């Protein structure tokens, strides 16, 4: 966003930017995108194995949202049994440097954040 007025408008509930950001920054979407960035192309079961704590239902829902937004591509192969593969779209690839920067920031500050949480928790008791 290029100016403060545009940034302020993003804080309102009906802002389309909020809608888009909510799809790509939820816990599962970030993990799916990161995993697809690492592996490039994955079948559903392989993706599910890479993120062991996600339910099948949540993975399906997350993949649908990301596909609807054009961030991933779902390719169905007419074979027996049918094969479905997922990969980042060009839009998804263009997003990854920003998500990677967020991941790096998290890794750099993780231990300090955990320490601050513990200290804050102790002071509130």
């Amino acid at each position: 966003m290029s100016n403060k007025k545009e940034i302020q408008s993003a804080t309102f509930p009906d802002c389309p930017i909020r809608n888009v950001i909510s799809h790509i920054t939820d816990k599962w979407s970030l993990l799916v995108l990161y995993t697809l960035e690492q592996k490039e192309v994955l079948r559903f079961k392989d993706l599910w194995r890479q993120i062991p704590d996600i339910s099948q239902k949540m993975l399906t829902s997350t993949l649908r949202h990301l596909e609807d937004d054009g961030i991933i591509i779902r390719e169905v192969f007419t074979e027996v049994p049918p094969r479905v593969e997922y990969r980042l779209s060009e839009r998804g690839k263009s997003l990854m440097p920003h998500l990677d920067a967020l991941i790096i920031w998290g890794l750099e500050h993780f231990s300090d954040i955990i320490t601050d949480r513990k200290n804050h928790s102790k002071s509130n008791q």
Side-chain angles (χ1 to χ4, degrees):
M1 294 188 180
S2 61
N3 64 44
K4 284 190 176 198
K5 185 176 181 180
E6 289 174 333
I7 292 170
Q8 288 173 339
S9 71
T11 62
F12 291 97
D14 61 346
C15 174
I17 298 301
R18 247 175 110 166
N19 177 280
V20 171
I21 296 294
S22 71
H23 272 205
I24 59 176
T25 58
D26 71 80
K27 170 171 116 175
W28 300 120
S29 292
L30 286 171
L31 290 170
V32 166
L33 292 170
Y34 179 78
T35 302
L36 285 173
E37 180 187 33
Q38 302 305 305
K39 302 289 183 175
E40 293 188 24
V41 176
L42 283 170
R43 294 175 73 174
F44 183 89
K45 288 280 189 185
D46 296 325
L47 190 52
W48 193 26
R49 285 185 195 111
Q50 295 291 319
I51 309 170
D53 51 342
I54 191 171
S55 70
Q56 188 171 356
K57 181 179 177 181
M58 184 54 70
L59 179 56
T60 299
S61 174
T62 301
L63 290 168
R64 275 196 197 119
H65 286 301
L66 293 171
E67 182 184 11
D68 290 347
D69 290 349
I71 296 170
I72 65 168
I73 295 171
R74 177 180 182 261
E75 188 171 5
V76 179
F77 296 88
T78 53
E79 303 172 346
V80 178
R83 178 171 50 113
V84 179
E85 294 180 344
Y86 297 90
R87 69 179 186 280
L88 293 174
S89 67
E90 288 305 313
R91 182 177 300 147
K93 289 176 185 176
S94 73
L95 172 64
M96 293 315 298
H98 306 286
L99 296 182
D100 290 340
L102 182 60
I103 291 166
I104 290 167
W105 180 90
L107 291 170
E108 288 173 354
H109 297 279
F110 181 74
S111 60
D112 291 336
I113 289 171
I114 295 302
T115 299
D116 289 346
R117 283 181 189 168
K118 287 178 184 176
N119 291 338
H120 185 77
S121 176
K122 287 177 187 176
S123 67
N124 285 333
Q125 290 179 354

